Amino acid sequence: IIVFGILKRNRKVSAYMVENCSEKTLLPIIKEQITVDSVIYTDGFKTYSRLSDSGFKNHFIVNHGNNEFAKQNGIHINGIENFWGPCKSRLSKFRGINKNTFYLHLKECEFRYNNKNKNIYKLLINSFSNFPLKLS
């Protein structure tokens, strides 16, 4: 299982399970989530290096391979690590997750991250009140 994530300026994460990290796989997801006039910062992964060829003219690369971890103007890609770090920690507690339910665990991590400053208990109670579960 390969997971891929996008962190937007509003500090919301979108996480995906993908078959591979090819341009053919990732580019449609990126185009769906990000407008071509957005400013994008990525690491030097080769799939991302082609974003400018796809119309994303404001694409900047932080090249970890050259010991670059932030640009001189303080730009970095560590924000997404604020999602992946706790996500990996939470998922490792299960000591293995069935691949058929992994997506649900990933989306739970996404939900928790995107609502980290809210009372999750109240959010869930409100959600279940408005959209009751159908068990049959």
Side-chain angles (χ1 to χ4, degrees):
I1 296 175
I2 300 170
V3 290
F4 165 72
I6 296 173
L7 175 67
K8 295 184 180 181
R9 287 277 173 224
N10 63 3
R11 309 304 296 164
K12 298 291 184 191
V13 164
S14 297
Y16 303 89
M17 288 175 43
V18 294
E19 292 180 23
N20 58 59
C21 293
S22 70
E23 183 178 348
K24 183 179 177 183
T25 300
L26 297 185
L27 195 56
I29 296 170
I30 294 168
K31 284 183 173 181
E32 178 183 301
Q33 291 292 317
I34 303 169
T35 60
V36 292
D37 60 336
S38 297
V39 177
I40 303 172
Y41 297 96
T42 66
D43 60 16
F45 185 61
K46 77 175 183 177
T47 297
Y48 302 143
S49 66
R50 304 274 319 247
L51 286 174
S52 60
D53 297 340
S54 299
F56 295 96
K57 300 300 179 196
N58 296 312
H59 175 225
F60 302 94
I61 297 172
V62 177
N63 194 338
H64 298 311
N66 291 342
N67 284 331
E68 179 181 61
F69 296 95
K71 295 286 188 185
Q72 289 180 348
N73 56 3
I75 298 299
H76 57 78
I77 60 168
N78 292 341
I80 194 71
E81 289 303 321
N82 291 330
F83 168 71
W84 289 123
C87 181
K88 290 175 189 176
S89 177
R90 178 166 180 71
L91 297 178
S92 69
K93 292 177 184 177
F94 294 103
R95 297 185 181 175
I97 296 174
N98 183 309
K99 67 181 178 181
N100 296 324
T101 61
F102 182 82
Y103 177 78
L104 298 173
H105 290 278
L106 179 64
K107 288 302 182 177
E108 177 191 359
C109 290
E110 178 185 289
F111 175 81
R112 288 177 178 277
Y113 181 86
N114 289 337
N115 294 287
K116 64 185 169 203
N117 296 324
K118 298 176 185 170
N119 183 325
I120 291 180
Y121 175 76
K122 286 183 181 179
L123 269 175
L124 290 173
I125 292 297
N126 186 39
S127 180
F128 292 145
S129 296
N130 293 327
F131 304 100
L133 294 175
K134 295 179 182 173
L135 300 176
S136 57

